Amino acid sequence: MAQRKIFAGVKLRALREQHKLTQAEFAARLDISTSYVNQLENNQRPVTAAIMLALAETFNVDVTSLLADKSDRMIIDLKEIFADPLFADNPPGLQEMKSLATNTPQTAHAFMRLYEAYRKSNERMAGVDDVLMREQAGNLQTSYEEVRDFFHYADNYIDPLDRAAEDLAIELGLNGYDKLERLVDYCQRAHDLTVEFVIPNKRDMIRQFDRTRRVIRLNTTLEKSTQFFQLANQLALLEQTSLINQILADANFKRDEARAICRIGLANYYAGALLMPYQQFLKEAQAVRYDIEIMAQRFGASLEQVAHRLSTLQRPQLRGIPFFFARVDQAGTITKRHSATALQFARFGGACPLWNVHRAFESPQRIIRQRAETPDGKRYLCLAWASEKRAGGFRQPTRRYAYALGCEIDHASQLVYSDDLDIGKEAAFDPIGVSCRTCERRNCTQRSVPPIAAEISITPDDRNVVPYEIN
């Protein structure tokens, strides 16, 4: 706390309103003046150690929730937006963006939605994105993007669902290799459900639920971890309906389509938390030094499931290492993403081609490592691997993905993957960016487009790998 000032005005105001207190009543509880509370809520004064202690004792506030500044990721999003030439004449400075993200986060969210609508409206007019023609006027943010932002700004951690899944896992003793059988038995006893493992009559069938007959059919060719996940997903939709409905109501989505998509996402979240209960999973991760292959074996899970679960370990007072996680298809499209680190994936455009996740397809089933540095000077240990998802026989479809998991280099010593790496050697770190559109590097030979906010020079008589220079 001595190294940086903590401003938490939005959180303090929300805490006061949650307890239905006036500023004067809140001040009396903390034994400070009303004017001091006003200054704290408006981020005119930082939160001191004494105030944090009073909050913890009086309101049982988790101090780490105040230290976790979610405005950082919003600032990154705003910086990407303000790099657009639309704002070239008078772009706001970093301090102004920090003020916007910290003091009025709802306004910042609204501005980002407005810019997204503007950008996609331009794409529509240019005939670039035909899919957007199906979107109604005024609703240019797609439902999937709306749900993505919900999880993004919730830190990919949904506390009530996580704890509900953990409680059931403890109740059923889901800590051995028979966890699928135990879950099948529980579905029969608690919900009068019959679980059938069938050879599908549709090649892409994974799970079917016959509500009339109370029968859940699972594709028998799937991995056991996937079968458990799908059964747990259906259980969430049946057993956690009230809780999921409350979360959806609080999220205040604009359209029914977004609520339906998020319902699936919340059921997926519950399924992952049931397969890998929070405290047991975190304890095991620390014991094996985050060896994801050993963890996959011990929890009967896939590497993708383990990596995704690692990115959700943000429970107050029991946080794990902040990881980023992403899934990339063979075209380089990021199909799943989350980051609890300073590295935030681009909202617009593709990912940096120098990132090791793109090389993972060359070495399937092998975890490759990369020491990387982003233009802001932050360094990361990045892991990547590729795998295939097969659906059965010779002519059945095969999906291929590459996965990325990483953390800031300060945490790397806690990972088994860093043992033989020199993480202190500056030259060992590969320079990567977020996307070419916003990357500030001027000497990258893999650059596909110039930075959107930069001027370029083109000299016909000189030809380098990149056919222009960034001024």
Side-chain angles (χ1 to χ4, degrees), residues 61-229:
V61 171
D62 174 19
V63 173
T64 59
S65 68
L66 298 177
L67 297 173
D69 187 1
K70 294 183 182 180
S71 66
D72 286 347
R73 66 183 57 188
M74 192 180 297
I75 292 168
I76 293 171
D77 290 340
L78 290 171
K79 286 177 67 177
E80 184 178 356
I81 290 172
F82 284 118
D84 194 303
L86 178 69
F87 306 103
D89 290 341
N90 190 25
L94 180 60
Q95 196 58 45
E96 291 177 273
M97 284 187 272
K98 285 183 178 179
S99 178
L100 178 63
T102 304
N103 295 341
T104 56
Q106 294 304 319
T107 302
H109 279 298
F111 175 76
M112 287 190 289
R113 290 194 298 269
L114 181 64
Y115 174 79
E116 197 160 15
Y118 155 78
R119 181 175 176 272
K120 290 187 175 179
S121 180
N122 280 357
E123 289 176 350
R124 172 186 286 182
M125 293 172 65
V128 173
D129 194 349
D130 293 335
V131 176
L132 288 178
M133 295 303 292
R134 297 194 294 269
E135 294 289 322
Q136 296 179 356
N139 286 324
L140 289 174
Q141 185 187 42
T142 68
S143 296
Y144 276 101
E145 289 164 338
E146 196 176 357
V147 173
R148 176 201 64 192
D149 281 356
F150 165 78
F151 283 101
H152 178 70
Y153 287 104
D155 249 353
N156 204 30
Y157 175 73
I158 312 298
D159 189 72
L161 271 183
D162 208 296
R163 293 181 186 274
E166 184 174 38
D167 290 343
L168 182 61
I170 293 172
E171 177 188 337
L172 301 183
L174 300 180
N175 54 9
Y177 292 101
D178 62 344
K179 60 175 61 179
L180 176 60
E181 291 75 13
R182 286 175 181 259
L183 190 60
V184 169
D185 178 68
Y186 173 75
C187 289
Q188 174 65 47
R189 289 186 291 103
H191 297 281
D192 193 28
L193 295 171
T194 299
V195 181
E196 297 179 352
F197 296 87
V198 301
I199 297 177
N201 52 16
K202 292 170 55 181
R203 68 179 187 175
D204 59 347
M205 174 265 190
I206 293 177
R207 178 188 81 240
Q208 290 178 341
F209 179 38
D210 186 333
R211 290 182 177 272
T212 303
R213 296 180 54 218
R214 308 286 292 174
V215 173
I216 299 176
R217 300 183 183 90
L218 298 174
N219 186 332
T220 193
T221 67
L222 298 174
E223 296 286 341
K224 199 169 183 178
S225 60
T226 304
Q227 292 172 346
F228 180 99
F229 186 90

Side-chain angles (χ1 to χ4, degrees), residues 1-2 4-8 12 30-32 36 40 45-56 63 66-67:
M1 285 185 292
R4 66 183 179 97
K5 294 180 179 180
I6 306 300
F7 294 92
L12 292 178
L30 297 177
D31 195 23
I32 58 178
Y36 194 2
L40 288 170
R45 297 278 293 273
V47 181
T48 64
I51 294 295
M52 286 189 179
L53 182 60
L55 288 167
V63 173
L66 298 177
L67 297 173

Side-chain angles (χ1 to χ4, degrees), residues 163 166 277-284 309 315 318:
R163 293 181 186 274
E166 184 174 38
Y278 194 103
Q279 294 187 61
Q280 180 189 355
F281 183 78
L282 177 58
K283 182 179 179 180
E284 191 68 30
R309 184 58 168 149
R315 179 177 293 181
L318 198 64

Side-chain angles (χ1 to χ4, degrees), residues 208-457:
Q208 290 178 341
F209 179 38
D210 186 333
R211 290 182 177 272
T212 303
R213 296 180 54 218
R214 308 286 292 174
V215 173
I216 299 176
R217 300 183 183 90
L218 298 174
N219 186 332
T220 193
T221 67
L222 298 174
E223 296 286 341
K224 199 169 183 178
S225 60
T226 304
Q227 292 172 346
F228 180 99
F229 186 90
Q230 291 300 323
L231 182 56
N233 183 295
Q234 191 67 63
L235 180 63
L237 295 173
L238 293 170
E239 192 168 89
Q240 301 297 330
T241 303
S242 297
L243 181 54
I244 290 176
N245 286 342
Q246 184 59 54
I247 295 170
L248 292 174
D250 293 341
N252 196 29
F253 290 114
K254 296 192 293 287
R255 284 164 291 181
D256 290 339
E257 185 181 74
R259 280 186 286 275
I261 293 169
C262 191
R263 185 180 298 277
I264 295 173
L266 292 171
N268 286 339
Y269 185 97
Y270 180 90
L274 188 63
L275 179 62
M276 295 163 282
Y278 194 103
Q279 294 187 61
Q280 180 189 355
F281 183 78
L282 177 58
K283 182 179 179 180
E284 191 68 30
Q286 292 169 339
V288 301
R289 300 186 61 219
Y290 293 87
D291 189 317
I292 59 175
E293 291 173 296
I294 293 179
M295 294 170 68
Q297 295 165 6
R298 295 190 179 179
F299 284 90
S302 67
L303 292 185
E304 177 184 359
Q305 289 169 335
V306 168
H308 188 273
R309 184 58 168 149
L310 284 172
S311 75
T312 70
L313 299 182
Q314 296 299 303
R315 179 177 293 181
Q317 299 179 330
L318 198 64
R319 299 180 190 274
I321 291 176
F323 281 99
F324 66 75
F325 167 72
R327 185 179 71 184
V328 180
D329 68 16
Q330 286 184 289
T333 304
I334 299 178
T335 61
K336 185 184 292 187
R337 65 182 121 190
H338 175 66
S339 179
T341 71
L343 188 151
Q344 301 297 317
F345 303 105
R347 297 171 67 90
F348 314 105
C352 176
L354 299 177
W355 194 18
N356 68 336
V357 70
H358 302 296
R359 301 200 306 271
F361 289 109
E362 304 168 8
S363 306
Q365 306 302 329
R366 175 172 164 259
I367 296 175
I368 60 176
R369 302 170 296 174
Q370 180 183 35
R371 288 157 290 183
E373 180 177 333
T374 49
D376 59 5
K378 293 187 181 296
R379 295 177 176 176
Y380 300 88
L381 174 61
C382 307
L383 311 177
W385 66 96
S387 67
E388 294 183 347
K389 294 188 175 185
R390 305 186 66 85
F394 174 69
R395 297 192 181 278
Q396 297 304 305
T398 298
R399 292 171 293 155
R400 296 177 176 87
Y401 295 106
Y403 303 91
L405 180 71
C407 67
E408 293 189 22
I409 207 68
D410 290 345
H411 303 288
S413 61
Q414 299 179 55
L415 276 63
V416 66
Y417 304 99
S418 70
D419 284 353
D420 59 340
L421 295 178
D422 185 352
I423 59 177
K425 185 178 180 181
E426 183 175 347
F429 287 81
D430 298 327
I432 67 169
V434 175
S435 73
C436 289
R437 185 177 184 273
T438 59
C439 184
E440 303 166 2
R441 299 190 192 281
R442 284 167 161 71
N443 57 350
C444 178
T445 58
Q446 284 287 322
R447 180 173 288 282
S448 58
V449 294
I452 200 165
E455 298 288 336
I456 61 173
S457 298

